[in-house]
Amino acid sequence: MPKFTSHFIAAVSMLSIALSANAGFTVTYENAGVLNTTATFDYTGVETFDSRTKGINQTFTTDFGTSSDPIKITGTYKNVQIMEFDQYGGAGNSGNYAVALRTGASYDLELSAEGNDGAVPITYFGYWLSALDAGNQVDFYRGDDLLFTFDPTTVINAIGSCSGATNLYCGKPETNPIQNPSEQYVFVNFYDDSGVGFDRIHFYETNAANGGYESDNHTVGYYKEKGGNPIEVPEPASLLLVGLALLGMSGVRRYSSK
């Protein structure tokens, strides 16, 4: 295959992924010290991990407390580590929390919801994101299709750093003295604006300094009204510019390879 053609196809492929992976989601964050979402729902449930077995590579199924509700939500966690509360995690400074510990660690949450009339979509996920670091990555899928990918850099920019002036998001809430004051603690909401929903979430840690991806109070459902403070995430239009740059680079590479 000619080099230009292969570079062009690769660039188009990257553009397609970029566009599809960031369209149709809204992200917000709650006020400092808030441990749960302020959104409202047609149906919802929460997993607190407090009844889960502690240890690495835990796989279990949860109903998020919806077993007696008209809509039952089912989630299967695969290869998640469960830890007892400490300075890095555990909402309310008690119970357990979920973590992908160390660089390269990851786990998945597979989701479905069922009512009297059959399957219904899940359009919301939220969690208390604790001991925040820039390697805390999360992807949302429908089947094999990547719908949205997010890293916490925009959250960190929105709530501020933990150096210098006092920041109410820095340090674990409800501890005295405040524990781990050098990292942020914040509840983050993800809304799928398409209404079609997602069925898998992939959590992974990419911090080269061997960070941990700690979170708690995993909340899922079909949202009615959004809550929290909005965060700007990359829009398809801005990603189009990235894609065009990639296409341009493919042309440059063609001529430089002569």
Side-chain angles (χ1 to χ4, degrees):
M1 179 183 293
K3 288 183 178 180
F4 172 73
T5 304
S6 61
H7 291 158
F8 182 82
I9 291 174
V12 170
S13 234
M14 292 174 70
L15 172 59
S16 176
I17 291 170
L19 290 173
S20 63
N22 287 275
F25 269 68
T26 297
V27 183
T28 70
Y29 66 96
E30 301 292 350
N31 292 335
V34 175
L35 305 181
N36 292 281
T37 185
T38 58
T40 61
F41 299 89
D42 287 317
Y43 61 86
T44 187
V46 182
E47 173 59 55
T48 65
F49 305 102
D50 292 348
S51 64
R52 303 303 169 187
T53 302
K54 294 186 286 290
I56 64 173
N57 298 327
Q58 298 295 313
T59 295
F60 61 88
T61 298
T62 175
D63 63 11
F64 297 94
T66 64
S67 59
S68 59
D69 294 347
I71 303 293
K72 180 179 178 180
I73 307 172
T74 301
T76 299
Y77 286 87
K78 295 185 175 181
N79 300 317
V80 61
Q81 183 168 348
I82 305 297
M83 296 183 64
E84 188 174 8
F85 76 97
D86 55 20
Q87 68 268 36
Y88 303 112
N93 204 34
S94 63
N96 300 330
Y97 66 92
V99 60
L101 192 59
R102 307 301 181 211
T103 305
S106 67
Y107 64 93
D108 286 279
L109 169 59
E110 296 178 352
L111 292 162
S112 64
E114 196 84 14
N116 292 332
D117 298 324
V120 293
I122 293 173
T123 61
Y124 170 87
F125 174 75
Y127 58 179
W128 188 63
L129 187 52
S130 58
L132 185 59
D133 71 62
N136 298 166
Q137 313 286 317
V138 63
D139 295 337
F140 292 79
Y141 289 85
R142 184 186 306 120
D144 293 329
D145 296 328
L146 176 61
L147 302 178
F148 181 78
T149 187
F150 185 78
D151 70 64
T153 304
T154 49
V155 178
I156 294 172
N157 290 339
I159 63 181
S161 71
C162 291
S163 60
T166 300
N167 185 338
L168 295 178
Y169 286 98
C170 295
K172 189 178 183 185
E174 301 181 6
T175 61
N176 188 19
I178 293 294
Q179 297 176 340
N180 195 33
S182 64
E183 293 185 305
Q184 297 93 337
Y185 294 70
V186 59
F187 195 98
V188 181
N189 304 288
F190 299 90
Y191 304 94
D192 177 0
D193 295 325
S194 74
V196 178
F198 47 85
D199 56 20
R200 181 167 66 92
I201 308 174
H202 180 61
F203 308 81
Y204 53 110
E205 173 62 57
T206 65
N207 194 333
N210 289 323
Y213 191 171
E214 301 91 354
S215 63
D216 203 355
N217 290 354
H218 287 195
T219 308
V220 295
Y222 190 94
Y223 75 89
K224 184 160 46 178
E225 293 185 4
K226 298 172 184 175
N229 308 291
I231 298 175
E232 289 188 11
V233 296
E235 294 292 337
S238 61
L239 288 170
L240 179 60
L241 297 178
V242 176
L244 291 174
L246 289 170
L247 294 175
M249 287 172 63
S250 72
V252 169
R253 295 178 77 179
R254 176 197 177 207
Y255 288 110
S256 63
S257 64
K258 283 186 175 180

